[in-house]
Amino acid sequence: IDSSKQTNGWAGEYGGVLELPGIYYRLGGSTVVGLIGNFIFENYAGDRTKRESLGYDTYNISASAMTSTGDQPGLGYFARLDFGPTDLVEINETTAGYSRHYFPGLFEQIALGYGMQSSSNTRLLFHINTFYEDVVDHYQLGISFNIGFFL
């Protein structure tokens, strides 16, 4: 991000993380491996009268591994590691027009959390994730708090 745009009157910024449902295979005990997807976005809004904005969207499908302290996956304390390719889309809108640029990169995420039984086959998960994306001339480092289910 051009730091001059962040300090010279840009109206605001926002971002978020959406974690898509994963598909896992049980290796045995409480360890699973599989695939999971993530969508991460950030937007910097400029002067609204000039219709300026700069946004970054990243999409990734990652290999994922999770192990738990309980006797079932997602039960008790757990750790998860995700790693895979990512695609960053840079979206720039100005009075001169609209542009989109695509860049490939790598995604890494570590999650630590706790899961509790919520029904006979479902665990309710609470976890903190830290993620890092490295793409040409851009990186994202972030932390998110997630609530999810393991079926």
Side-chain angles (χ1 to χ4, degrees):
I1 303 284
D2 181 353
S3 62
S4 66
K5 290 182 178 179
Q6 289 183 348
T7 57
N8 292 331
W10 276 57
E13 58 184 76
Y14 60 90
V17 177
L18 175 63
E19 193 167 272
L20 305 173
I23 299 171
Y24 288 94
Y25 174 77
R26 190 171 181 172
L27 291 179
S30 61
T31 301
V32 294
V33 295
L35 295 173
I36 193 161
N38 289 282
F39 170 64
I40 301 169
F41 65 92
E42 58 182 311
N43 190 291
Y44 300 89
D47 185 338
R48 303 248 188 256
T49 61
K50 295 180 182 176
R51 292 189 52 210
E52 293 178 334
S53 70
L54 176 63
Y56 294 99
D57 297 339
T58 54
Y59 310 88
N60 56 68
I61 301 289
S62 302
S64 181
M66 182 172 80
T67 188
S68 307
T69 59
D71 58 350
Q72 298 177 38
L75 190 59
Y77 292 100
F78 67 87
R80 192 180 89 208
L81 175 64
D82 305 335
F83 181 80
T86 189
D87 285 314
L88 179 135
V89 181
E90 179 185 77
I91 305 160
N92 196 353
E93 183 178 4
T94 66
T95 54
Y98 177 85
S99 66
R100 253 178 201 228
H101 302 283
Y102 299 86
F103 305 96
L106 289 174
F107 175 80
E108 303 162 21
Q109 177 169 261
I110 297 172
L112 298 173
Y114 184 79
M116 63 179 78
Q117 200 78 39
S118 61
S119 72
S120 61
N121 293 323
T122 306
R123 271 80 65 208
L124 179 61
L125 307 178
F126 300 91
H127 51 103
I128 295 175
N129 299 359
T130 180
F131 61 87
Y132 176 75
E133 290 188 298
D134 189 4
V135 181
V136 177
D137 294 332
H138 182 80
Y139 72 92
Q140 292 187 93
L141 177 64
I143 296 175
S144 65
F145 177 75
N146 297 40
I147 300 173
F149 290 96
F150 194 95
L151 306 173

